[in-house]
Amino acid sequence: MKTKIGIVLSGGGARGIAHLGILKALEEFGIVPSFISGTSAGAIAGAFYAAGYSIPEIVDILKKGQIFNFSNILIKKQGLFAMKGFQNLYQECFPNDTFEDLNIPLFVAATDILKGEIVYFSSGNLSKALRASSCIPLLFQPVNYKDTLFVDGGVIDNFPTEPLINKCDIIIGSYVNSIKKEVNEVHMNNILDRCFHLAMKSSVQNKIDQCTLYIEPPNMSQFSIFNLKKSDEIYNYGYNYALTLEKQIKELVSTL
């Protein structure tokens, strides 16, 4: 019986590009996921991967589509209207726009802001689920879907291992929001980001034990979550860090 491998991809805005570097390294070691679960940027990266796009294609699509580049939105103060702009890209890249059309089963975490609970989408309208999962509060208008309102899945669950429990023999976690603990200063535009990820780190900590392999590149806070200018550097950073785990990954592969 084939070993079922699940991969969990955290949120992280532009830092989500690091997931692609990590996925590329895992591919090179012969690891292909049976299931993917993601929040926000992780859900977006996971959706393209699950749809069969190659890693270089996904990087190119995300860079050209400016999907994680919110710097212009922040400057123009147009955030409440900007979420619809992603729809055209999703429609172009996912013609049938359904979870059922993906090559790999995908779970997308989003926060139901009215009920105050997490929802894991795995069927139906793919682009709606992706927009709901990546709807950063105060930046984007909540997404109206299934008679309720959704915001970013990271508000409640930025590392959605839950959908993979009991479905997978092996769970690999990729978390791209590590924070440098000692810094001399924090710029105003990074305070919200830093506070948000410090607050959620404790809940993520409790899930690490659920992972057979946990990958967390250090000091990811050096990269802005709102800007793609360093996307190539972020990608290489994730890829090269994953390569440093060669021994652990090869041990894992030997059990497959």
Side-chain angles (χ1 to χ4, degrees), residues 192-222:
L192 178 61
D193 167 42
R194 189 170 177 83
C195 290
F196 185 56
H197 289 104
L198 282 170
M200 72 172 61
K201 180 59 177 177
S202 60
S203 63
V204 171
Q205 198 69 37
N206 296 330
K207 298 184 180 191
I208 293 175
D209 290 341
Q210 297 171 342
C211 297
T212 316
L213 175 66
Y214 177 72
I215 302 173
E216 183 180 335
N219 298 336
M220 285 296 294
S221 55
Q222 66 184 291

Side-chain angles (χ1 to χ4, degrees), residues 176-203:
V176 296
N177 295 296
S178 57
I179 289 177
K180 189 175 181 180
K181 288 295 178 69
E182 296 180 11
V183 295
N184 295 323
E185 61 179 355
V186 180
H187 296 294
M188 283 299 296
N189 59 345
N190 291 329
I191 287 179
L192 178 61
D193 167 42
R194 189 170 177 83
C195 290
F196 185 56
H197 289 104
L198 282 170
M200 72 172 61
K201 180 59 177 177
S202 60
S203 63

Side-chain angles (χ1 to χ4, degrees), residues 23 171 254:
L23 286 170
I171 295 177
S254 69

Side-chain angles (χ1 to χ4, degrees), residues 9-62:
L9 306 174
S10 73
R15 293 175 195 150
I17 296 286
H19 288 313
L20 298 172
I22 290 167
L23 286 170
K24 180 62 175 173
L26 292 174
E27 264 187 7
E28 292 176 358
F29 286 114
I31 294 178
V32 179
S34 311
F35 298 89
I36 298 173
S37 180
T39 293
S40 196
I44 294 169
F48 281 101
Y49 193 74
Y53 287 96
S54 70
I55 298 292
E57 285 175 333
I58 301 171
V59 173
D60 193 49
I61 289 168
L62 297 183

Side-chain angles (χ1 to χ4, degrees), residues 119-132:
V119 175
Y120 303 107
F121 294 106
S122 59
S123 62
N125 190 302
L126 177 61
S127 63
K128 276 263 189 179
L130 292 178
R131 284 192 287 140

